[in-house]
Amino acid sequence: MSNSVSALWSAKSVAIIGATERPGAMGRLPLEYLQKYGFAGEIYPVNPKGGVVLGLPAVANVKDIGKKIDLALIMVPANFVKEAVQDCADAKVGVAIVMSSGFAEADAAGAIAQDELLAIAKKSGMRLVGPNCIGSAGGASKLAATFSPVFSSPTTPLESGNIALVSQSGALGYGIYSLAVDRNLPIGFVVTTGNEADVTALEVGAELAIDKNVDAILMYAESLADVEALGKIASTKPTAILKSGRSVAGAQAAASHTGALATEDRVIDAAIHASGAVRVDDVEHLLDAGSIFASKTTMTGNRVAIITTSGGSGILGTDALEKYGLTLAKLSAKTIAELDQIVPSYGNTANPVDVTAAVMSAPDLFEKCVEVLAKDSEVDAIVATFCVLVGSDVERIANALSAVRGVREIPVVVARTGSQSLAPEADKLFKAAKLPVFPTPERAVRALQILRIATKPAHEVDRKPLCKPLTTPNDQATEDQLKAALASAGVPVPLSIVVDNLEDAISAVAKVGGRSVMKAVIPGLLHKSEAGGVALDITKETATETFNGGVLTEVISDVSVRLLPVDAKVVNEMIDETRLSLLFSGVRGAKPANREAFVETVLRITDAVIDWPNGSELDINPLTVLPDGVWVLDSAYSPPTELSDRSAH
């Protein structure tokens, strides 16, 4: 086998360096787990004393094994790790997991020691996972290359499944796995990456994405440096990612106006959105993504039918559709006519369809309604909501919903609001039918939103540039210099005159037509209005008074963020995400603004700055949109800072 990170779930041979029989020792647990779950490959305990460890002959050094090892687990104290890594490199081990802690996560000295480990691995071509890594588990060979205590429990299974879980945090990763077990989620691969000196969660995800045994990927990440890698993962398999650090990122926002609006976390949101992955908010949300991915369905539209035994649940589901960007399907006349023949008169045949509690006394009522909805081409997905399920009702409903796939391949989700104790076998029945179950209508609808985002075709930006890229501005570029550069790229910029004395200011006001805006031109001054550096509607008479004064204007923050490049479709989506959409249409008697001119101007600006360095910022504020066109009234440039790794925007 080549030195591929896939050894983390497909290794045929494993060496445990630091293996011991001592009860409670970390070096015992992986060996114990490999035997417990029936690992199909070869196991080699490594202990300087040799002997026998848990019935297996031990060697004193990994180099003594005498054959190439796919995966080595290094479980020795930090001060012995460098030697162990070197031994693995000399033995031509494919992948080594350094499970020991005390490296970059500890202090500066630990970071230096970690770099030394990486240098050894790179020189030999061996891949290094960790340090400070709990390991991996799963795959067809029942690999349990971990010391996580979750596998000490007699009730923790290591089953085959179609979902992979990748986590930078080991403890959290296996905690999520244990919750997934409780929810009967088919997670068959768990990989943790620790400090990521070499192998990253994104690299692992990319390798899992091309594995034919993996249908979907769940990720927990604390950093997201490679957006392209995430895009490759999400374009191959449905992907949900829990990215932590929202509040920290907000605190580190750059001081410029653009930096404050496009915080690090907003840019990360844009990156994840562009990749086609779904960003989730918490562990429960991530597990909900796993539930809907396990159904192995796709969602081709956003029209949803709701069928319920409770009017209240139907209303909650309807509210959730609007919240999560889905729509209540408009049922065809034929569907409504058929439902009228089935649903009691005191029910409701318009969407949401309320079959009422009559379903309990008419066993085939629900089945018939579901079949009718499934046949309606106006329906892209079905949400079935119940407040209480008991006894044989569970099996009957599970069978009815499962039968939908025999009519049409559309997603079906269940909102079961009620105690698990009322029908203890329900979850297993729904799992067997590949029906994701959620405790509330909102969670069920949110899961459909996850599926819609993760499985809809990616939008490819493919257009000819509207202008040639501009050279990067000087760090001290002034507004007039920036506007002159933008004007050369075809961006609409009004006449501007730079003055440095009162006499020239009075003359300039007359030259531009008698009315003007007066602004301070100072390199590095980004917030002219907040600093009192902008004055409006200046005439020849007021120019003298205003030349040394200014006003304070209020800035309203309403933001949409994307990564470059973009096209007209993307810019229009951004407009619709903000209050601009309403303002462009004309409010309180105002004429509609020229939306098309605005879109073209934005695209021209993005083409002009496409080659500017990552982390640089172009602040255009304000940009005035009128019925007959657009004007860039102010601009400021900020060079990249050491704390910023954002793309130019």
Side-chain angles (χ1 to χ4, degrees), residues 78-79 99-107 109-111 113-114 131-132 195:
N79 55 320
M99 296 180 162
S100 316
S101 57
F103 292 90
E105 83 285 357
D107 51 32
Q114 180 170 303
N132 189 34
N195 288 5

Side-chain angles (χ1 to χ4, degrees), residues 261-284:
L261 292 179
T263 63
E264 196 71 37
D265 196 64
R266 280 173 171 159
V267 175
I268 287 170
D269 266 340
I272 294 173
H273 176 88
S275 75
V278 181
R279 186 175 190 180
V280 296
D281 298 321
D282 52 40
V283 169
E284 203 67 43

Side-chain angles (χ1 to χ4, degrees), residues 280-303:
V280 296
D281 298 321
D282 52 40
V283 169
E284 203 67 43
H285 198 179
L286 187 67
L287 292 172
D288 283 355
S291 293
I292 194 69
F293 290 162
S295 66
K296 298 185 180 182
T297 56
T298 58
M299 191 167 173
T300 57
N302 64 351
R303 303 165 299 176

Side-chain angles (χ1 to χ4, degrees), residues 119-144:
I120 294 170
K122 282 189 174 297
K123 186 176 180 180
S124 68
M126 179 178 71
R127 301 309 308 275
L128 187 75
V129 182
N132 189 34
C133 178
I134 293 183
S136 60
S141 61
K142 300 289 185 181
L143 177 67

